[in-house]
Amino acid sequence: MNEDFLHFLWKNGLYQAPITDCYTGEPIEVINPGQHNHDQGPDFFNARIRIGNTIWAGNVEIHQRSSDWARHRHQTDERYDNIILHVVGQNDSPVKDSYGNLIPTAEIKCPDELLKRYMFLMQTEKWLPCQSFINKVDPFVMIQWYESLAVERIEDKTETVAKSLQTTRNNWEESFYYAIAQAFGFKTNAQPFLMLAQALPLNVIAHHKNSLVQVEALLFGQAGLLPAEPVDEYTSVLLREYRHLKAKYSLEPIQGQMWKFARMRPVNMPTIRIAQLASLIFKSSALLSKLVECEKLDNVQRLFSTNVSEYWLTHYVFGKESARKDKNLGKSSFFLLVINAFVPFMFIYGKSVGKPNLVDRAMQWLEEVPAESNHILTQWAEFGITAKCALESQALIQLSNNYCQKRKCLACRIGRQVMSPVFRLE
């Protein structure tokens, strides 16, 4: 039994009773197993344990083997001097605190049926360990689990925002510019778009935001996508503007070969996405401030609705004319921006500036956006589990990636229900 499983048994009182002190033989009664600590230090804080006739209050440490205590050098760590009980799967060595005092130790065993369930979940080769009986799980458990999972996924996405805030010295507007640029790359070109934003500071592009030609010149030039020589009048203008601005601001472009064009729908080509981003920058300023003012998602969509300049209505790449077509940011693309940029940024911004209403608004937007469609959600649908909105689809993606695939069943509310002795597998 690994330590995670021992933690689960201890926390939920699912070990075989009774338990005794391995050294004195005194009976042990667990009044309160304590608060699970997921950081450094003892595994459970503020436990209350009766050993013999004495009630103790303090911390509990758990190991697979008692000899792990010395292996982890807890005997020299003062944080472990308030351990009132050492819980182990196998007692193979006495343990002492930093004062040399013997620490009461309890060896716990798992009921056979519970161990059988756990081993099944850990060893199955199926992508969803509990797929054989997930339809027997209480639907209310799933519904409660969705919001927590969605919050986890949002918090994972805010790590990129936190890094950009360090880079920009807590400049929220510039960090939002990074987030928007990265989101415009969607999955395939997210990294080149982020690098483009980092290579073109917001204060530089802001000086020229009243000229769409100059904004386009800066973006396409810094993206490394401008032709070396003019292929038409438009590229001639962009090259002339970019060469001047590049020298003026000592700019260094990113490498153009980083962008992915292959096997992409024409409207998703990075040239079109950059043209859309240029149009957005040209028509708007202080986008974060304006986003914060939007209470309804419809207002956000109007704020970020954008088409491309005249040239890109008849082109997908430089120098190759095509049939005229509007290339505005479609609904599905807008919804992806909401999921991947607006919601995470509003979430972390609201928490950072002490405005919980913005956090609540971000969660509400997720409920208003339709669920995504991808292979993970298709897999869930095979078991009759479908997402009704983006909050639920994000939750199911988080569940698959961070729990099912990593076999973290004991940390999953579904897995914990399956592991409950009252849950019937048949």
Side-chain angles (χ1 to χ4, degrees), residues 370-425:
E372 303 108 293
S373 176
N374 57 41
H375 75 281
I376 292 177
L377 298 171
T378 299
Q379 286 180 314
W380 281 111
E382 292 176 2
F383 303 105
I385 299 172
T386 57
K388 301 180 183 66
C389 62
L391 185 145
E392 293 185 2
S393 61
Q394 287 287 288
L396 289 172
I397 292 169
Q398 183 76 1
L399 181 56
S400 175
N401 291 344
N402 281 30
Y403 291 84
C404 303
Q405 292 182 26
K406 296 180 180 179
R407 295 300 188 260
K408 291 171 63 176
C409 303
L410 299 180
C412 170
R413 295 185 192 180
I414 300 168
R416 290 201 296 266
Q417 188 179 71
V418 170
M419 289 294 294
S420 170
V422 300
F423 184 80
R424 297 181 63 85
L425 299 183

Side-chain angles (χ1 to χ4, degrees), residues 256-310:
Q257 59 264 35
M258 295 184 62
W259 299 94
K260 296 179 177 64
F261 285 82
R263 295 187 298 278
M264 297 193 70
R265 293 175 58 218
V267 75
N268 289 332
M269 285 184 175
T271 43
I272 300 303
R273 295 304 186 193
I274 290 173
Q276 290 171 340
L277 180 60
S279 178
L280 178 64
I281 292 171
F282 171 67
K283 77 165 197 171
S284 304
S285 60
L287 281 171
L288 176 59
S289 300
K290 290 180 179 176
L291 178 70
V292 169
E293 293 172 1
C294 294
E295 293 190 9
K296 297 187 179 297
L297 202 54
D298 287 345
N299 296 335
V300 180
Q301 188 167 7
R302 281 192 289 272
L303 176 63
F304 286 86
S305 63
T306 182
N307 208 328
V308 293
S309 61
E310 183 67 24

Side-chain angles (χ1 to χ4, degrees), residues 177-197:
Y177 161 60
Y178 287 178
I180 292 295
Q182 185 173 16
F184 261 81
F186 297 92
K187 187 175 183 179
T188 306
N189 283 299
Q191 188 59 31
F193 256 105
L194 177 59
M195 294 174 66
L196 168 58

